[in-house]
Amino acid sequence: MKLTSLFITVLCITFYSCSSDKTAAIDTLPEYEFVISDSIQVDHLGSLILLDIHEEKQLFLFSSEDDNRLFLTNKSGELISTFDEPGDSPTAVGSHTGSGTFLGDQIIMMGMPRFGIYDLEFNFQRGFKMPYSPSGMFYLGFDHLQPVIKGGKHKLLAFTGGAQTEKPSNQPEYYQEYNTFDLIDLDSGTFTPVVPFHPQSRFLSGEAFRFIAPIYQVRENQVSFIHKRDTLLYSYSLDHPEEFSATRIPFDIFIMNKGFPMAGKPDYETPTDREGMIHSYFKVGDLHLFIYQSGIKLNNMPDRTLDKETLSKEFTRLNPMKWIVMDDSGNHSTPQEMNKKFNLSRIDSEGNLWAAQNIYALEEEPDFVTYYKLKLVRK
């Protein structure tokens, strides 16, 4: 992606003139809770990542963390088909599978640097490669491949790990040329860079950063997204790029460390605060759900001389996983600690949340992999 500085300036003046940092609302929403309405159990030894759900056909797409196999099950957890080929096979997407999604009667998988299109029995149809050298990190199990309709055609909105630029992340041009996502045309295999940084983004502060990654959700070509180490919720229209807004997320506490100087490198030797991090974001109806950790100030860090188990418990106590709900006006619920029995993983097209059972909270390792279906409801 080769945007000039002048073009960025024009974008800021023209496209974002209507954008605002919505911080005026201070009302508190009613309290919410998670209610389990159903579950799916799969007979599998090891961990399974739920990649996508086909609500119409009631199919579930899983990947194995242990050996990169792919599984398709029905709503009862019964195995329908399996993909088990070595990563260097011409019909595979590489040694690791990052994300996957259903698109009608097809399954589309993203690896590094290959993409594969399969039918619902994992029969290979065709594949294509990224047209540029991958950069950044490669993320496993995240929802980084989502269908959209653009110009009447089915396409994919993907986060491939980094921007489509050859500039390193310690150069100003990297941030000027940054694209958050790629819009993938499945017919031609072309990748169109979309969504630069919003003018209010902390990543346009003149400092350099590492590991910039969004969490996003597409609804009717409206992209709602956050950056993991940021306190703004962004809304972007793929059909009307001038509609790009930023809303401050009302966290109770969220520690953000500064970046490092341009042309320099991060200082990993000097002790510093433990940053806050958004782990999950979901748009549930008209509500926004954030699962996050606030971070720990340096002067509150636990004693590093403690034994490993005790130290881990101290970090969990000082930096618990929390969640809040916010509406479009910025009104929000009171932060609550997450239930330790499950970890939220996915949202389906009907607004149901899906959460993996936390096996570490059990006394014995279970015989089945369990995912819970949950509703976010008012108390």
Side-chain angles (χ1 to χ4, degrees), residues 170-205:
N170 66 349
Q171 297 296 324
E173 292 81 5
Y174 177 86
Y175 301 88
Q176 295 166 3
E177 298 176 4
Y178 192 88
N179 59 290
T180 309
F181 306 106
D182 282 292
L183 192 62
I184 303 175
D185 187 303
L186 293 171
D187 293 330
S188 63
T190 56
F191 287 56
T192 302
V194 292
V195 192
F197 285 124
H198 190 279
Q200 296 174 12
S201 171
R202 69 184 296 235
F203 303 116
L204 293 179
S205 64

Side-chain angles (χ1 to χ4, degrees), residues 235-252:
S235 179
Y236 182 92
S237 172
L238 292 171
D239 295 324
H240 303 283
E242 70 278 5
E243 298 178 5
F244 193 3
S245 64
T247 302
R248 186 72 56 186
I249 305 170
F251 294 123
D252 50 345

